[in-house]
Amino acid sequence: MDDKNDGDQNSSNVVDIALILSNEKYDTSKQDHESGPTRRFENLPHVPHDVKMLKKMLRRYIITSVVDVDDIPNAVDELIEECKNKKCKIGRVHFHFSGHGVHNAKIYLTPEDEKKMSDDERHSAMKTKTRLTKTPVGECMVGSSGTLYSVHDLKHKLLELKPTTITITLDCCRSDSRSGVATRGQSKELEVIMMKENIAIDQEDQEKIVVLYGAMDGHSTLDSHSFTKELSKVTDEGRINIPILDLDSKVNESWSKNDSPVAKTQRCKADILKVGDNWKHFHWPNNPVVDTEPLNETKTKKRNASEVEEEKLSKKAK
């Protein structure tokens, strides 16, 4: 289900947009092979609360919200296509995901992958004992039926919008899914798996992307004490704009003072490429509005008139 909110945009042609994906329900009956035959993801009942808090914090953005998404890349593609059709000039892009996440290190070869191989590829694979896979690896978001989508691929897609800046908040676990290395057959020769290629992101583009991870690498996070909940708390539901360079520190400090002994141990991390002062003046969720207008003349006149009246009364008293 898609939910649109036009936000409080100004009259300029530049717009700030946000895409909120929230997965509360996970259908294990449609378990995708990418996430593994033995892995099962529980439902996350607190995720809808995350969405409500995000919408308040991002009320000045044009928001697209989608719930229980399995095909995450398709949801991103639809937003990109819509912006291109409207010929929007994008300022800020914020992407948020609430749901399960993994640091994927499992590689799966499926019959479908084998069938898609050309004769040359099949011959080369038999000769070199090399197999190809499209399984995403590294930091991944988990779709509602277990399909994985890597954060690296997400960055590439969001850059297609040609925005000024990109901020990403991932309110999900970062637990390692690595398993033992298994051998195939009795051969003593090693069989190599060529993983899905991670295309490098240009330096200039890297410098305008910030990713805020809701958990430390290898750690899980509580559904009831979500990263989004703490973001909402430290920003006072988006009314306080915090320097992006201080945001992770503020959230971690807030967690450290939590009464829950489990929440006390939660920490978030920021992935940000700093070059000089490139992020020094950037605040989240918005930059503070600077009042550059001259002093209101009407107020000045009223103030002066009041002073004159006081002088008259003072003279009469004398």
Side-chain angles (χ1 to χ4, degrees), residues 165-178:
T165 56
I166 297 172
T167 51
I168 300 171
T169 46
L170 301 173
D171 199 347
C172 49
C173 298
R174 301 177 71 194
S175 54
D176 195 353
S177 66
R178 187 179 301 276

Side-chain angles (χ1 to χ4, degrees), residues 61 89-95 154-168 201-212 244 271-275 277-280 282 284:
Y61 291 64
K89 185 176 181 181
I90 309 298
R92 296 178 176 214
V93 170
H94 185 79
F95 175 91
L154 170 67
K155 292 177 184 178
H156 270 292
K157 293 304 295 185
L158 294 179
L159 283 167
E160 292 182 17
L161 290 165
K162 300 185 181 347
T164 305
T165 56
I166 297 172
T167 51
I168 300 171
I201 299 174
D202 291 340
Q203 175 186 317
E204 185 179 349
D205 289 330
Q206 293 260 26
E207 292 173 7
K208 62 183 180 183
I209 301 175
V210 175
V211 182
L212 289 160
I244 194 71
D271 181 5
I272 181 169
L273 182 58
K274 292 178 282 186
V275 181
D277 295 337
N278 64 327
W279 290 101
K280 182 179 180 180
F282 188 94
W284 194 90

Side-chain angles (χ1 to χ4, degrees), residues 9 15 21 97 118 133 148 154 179 191 202 220 288 314-315:
Q9 293 290 320
V15 296
L21 304 185
F97 177 76
S118 66
T133 179
L148 304 183
L154 170 67
S179 64
E191 188 169 42
D202 291 340
S220 59
S314 178
K315 288 180 179 179

Side-chain angles (χ1 to χ4, degrees), residues 88-149:
C88 299
K89 185 176 181 181
I90 309 298
R92 296 178 176 214
V93 170
H94 185 79
F95 175 91
H96 177 87
F97 177 76
S98 281
H100 283 292
V102 296
H103 188 108
N104 191 50
K106 290 182 178 179
I107 306 299
Y108 293 94
L109 298 175
T110 67
E112 288 76 16
D113 292 332
E114 297 287 344
K115 289 177 183 178
K116 292 176 183 177
M117 293 174 67
S118 66
D119 290 339
D120 289 341
E121 288 174 332
R122 192 173 290 106
H123 177 73
S124 176
M126 291 176 64
K127 187 176 180 180
T128 63
K129 294 189 178 297
T130 299
R131 298 292 184 267
L132 301 175
T133 179
K134 293 183 179 179
T135 306
V137 293
E139 304 284 355
C140 293
M141 296 162 281
V142 183
S144 59
S145 65
T147 306
L148 304 183
Y149 186 50

